[in-house]
Amino acid sequence: MDYLSKIDVSNTPEHIAIIMDGNGRWAKKQGHERLYGHNFGVESIRETLKAAKELKVKYLTLYAFSTENWNRPKEEVDGLMDLLVRSLANEVKELSESGVRLQTIGDIKGLPESCQTELAESIEFTKDNKEITLVLALNYSSRWEITNAVQEIAQKVKSGELTEISTEEISNHLTTKGIPDPELLIRTSGEHRISNFLLWQIAYSEFHFTETLWPDFKKEDLYKAVIDYQSRERRFGMVSEQLT
Ligand code: IPE
Ligand code: IPE
Ligand code: MG
């Protein structure tokens, strides 16, 4: 099936966010360790990024590691951090040549030094690219992000720098500052939950859930999600007749 031809490329989301889930189950199904699944997940990231660029998506945010994921066995956490460093080192040149700008959201200071260094170098190396921004959510959780924002805002109010707290003020204290809210949120692996991801930013996002496990997610799966998105009527609290 030619899914791409069914997409109106002039009306694709500017920002797609993905909860990449199911690496562990995918690996288990093939009789391998969980890390085997995470390794294969990198290929899905490559494919998804290519498809997003074809669709003129400007921001692709990927949930790569949550604050809750520290509670996994040490071997898996170490393996994931190592995979992050290796993948960045291997891919950054090619990413940059294809116009990808790298950004992160989350508590980056809480990551191992080696990750922080590799991330800082990759962000600097790709900073002038304009095709698409790849946002990696690392050591991220919404409740951490919102708590952090509230603390910063409270300080400003206390010092007299701020007298009124607006919606915009709150947005500007989140790690997603400057990034438009995602129009489309995808979660793979058949789970129907948000797991502490972008709670503020998805206020009006469309959700697409798929049974596909992340290492099996390929270009066609992104096309299908966008076709689903384009079939929705986004009413933003209004009635249908007001939208035309
Ligand atoms: C998603 O896959 C990747 C991360 C959370 C880092 P999982 O590792 O959660 O895979 P499942 O859900 O256990 O199958
Ligand atoms: C969400 O997946 C986090 C990432 C994809 C990084 P999890 O696998 O950690 O979520 P839960 O535990 O099933 O909710
Ligand atoms: Mg999972």
Side-chain angles (χ1 to χ4, degrees):
M1 170 98 96
D2 179 15
Y3 291 107
L4 188 53
S5 67
K6 293 188 185 307
I7 297 176
D8 172 4
V9 181
S10 68
N11 186 31
T12 50
E14 185 183 13
H15 182 180
I16 299 178
I18 307 181
I19 303 173
M20 309 182 287
D21 199 12
N23 295 351
R25 279 164 282 168
W26 185 88
K28 202 171 165 195
K29 265 190 5 192
Q30 344 244 335
H32 289 283
E33 298 291 314
R34 297 176 56 84
L35 278 168
Y36 183 82
H38 296 315
N39 273 298
F40 263 84
V42 177
E43 183 56 31
S44 299
I45 295 180
R46 249 184 244 123
E47 286 264 325
T48 306
L49 194 54
K50 275 191 211 147
K53 274 174 51 192
E54 281 170 13
L55 299 178
K56 310 278 181 232
V57 171
K58 298 312 280 182
Y59 293 87
L60 179 69
T61 298
L62 303 177
Y63 203 5
F65 195 85
S66 74
T67 55
E68 287 79 14
N69 289 147
W70 293 112
N71 297 321
R72 292 191 178 194
K74 184 176 182 313
E75 190 186 291
E76 182 171 350
V77 172
D78 289 349
L80 280 166
M81 295 301 152
D82 184 52
L83 178 63
L84 173 66
V85 173
R86 268 188 294 122
S87 305
L88 285 171
N90 289 339
E91 310 274 335
V92 74
K93 201 160 167 279
E94 202 182 316
L95 282 179
S96 195
E97 280 164 5
S98 64
V100 179
R101 176 172 71 140
L102 186 73
Q103 240 177 274
T104 54
I105 55 170
D107 190 4
I108 301 306
K109 289 193 197 75
L111 293 172
E113 284 291 337
S114 57
C115 294
Q116 291 189 49
T117 309
E118 201 64 49
L119 281 166
E121 284 175 12
S122 305
I123 290 168
E124 174 62 25
F125 191 72
T126 61
K127 72 177 188 319
D128 296 324
N129 296 333
K130 303 227 156 25
E131 199 83 18
I132 189 168
T133 302
L134 173 64
V135 183
L136 294 181
L138 291 162
N139 195 18
Y140 178 88
S141 81
S142 264
R143 287 186 175 178
W144 163 80
E145 181 180 51
I146 292 170
T147 306
N148 199 53
V150 171
Q151 286 165 352
E152 284 178 18
I153 292 170
Q155 269 307 321
K156 280 190 175 175
V157 171
K158 199 174 163 199
S159 71
E161 191 186 327
L162 198 67
T163 50
E164 209 177 302
I165 302 167
S166 62
T167 306
E168 203 190 350
E169 189 68 33
I170 296 175
S171 291
N172 285 339
H173 280 87
L174 301 175
T175 55
T176 49
K177 180 180 182 212
I179 301 173
D181 290 341
E183 294 96 330
L184 173 61
L185 174 76
I186 300 170
R187 183 168 188 148
T188 60
S189 88
E191 305 296 355
H192 296 169
R193 57 175 170 263
I194 300 301
S195 305
N196 219 345
F197 191 44
L198 301 177
L199 297 179
W200 173 272
Q201 298 86 342
I202 58 174
Y204 261 106
S205 303
E206 297 295 331
F207 292 1
H208 174 86
F209 296 104
T210 170
E211 295 291 321
T212 305
L213 302 173
W214 180 250
D216 287 329
F217 194 92
K218 296 290 165 295
K219 277 181 163 188
E220 276 68 28
D221 298 280
L222 191 78
Y223 300 155
K224 280 189 227 170
V226 172
I227 291 168
D228 186 21
Y229 166 81
Q230 291 189 333
S231 75
R232 312 274 178 89
E233 181 180 60
R234 306 187 74 206
R235 289 192 288 279
F236 301 99
M238 293 180 282
V239 300
S240 233
E241 290 69 24
Q242 290 175 288
L243 300 172
T244 44

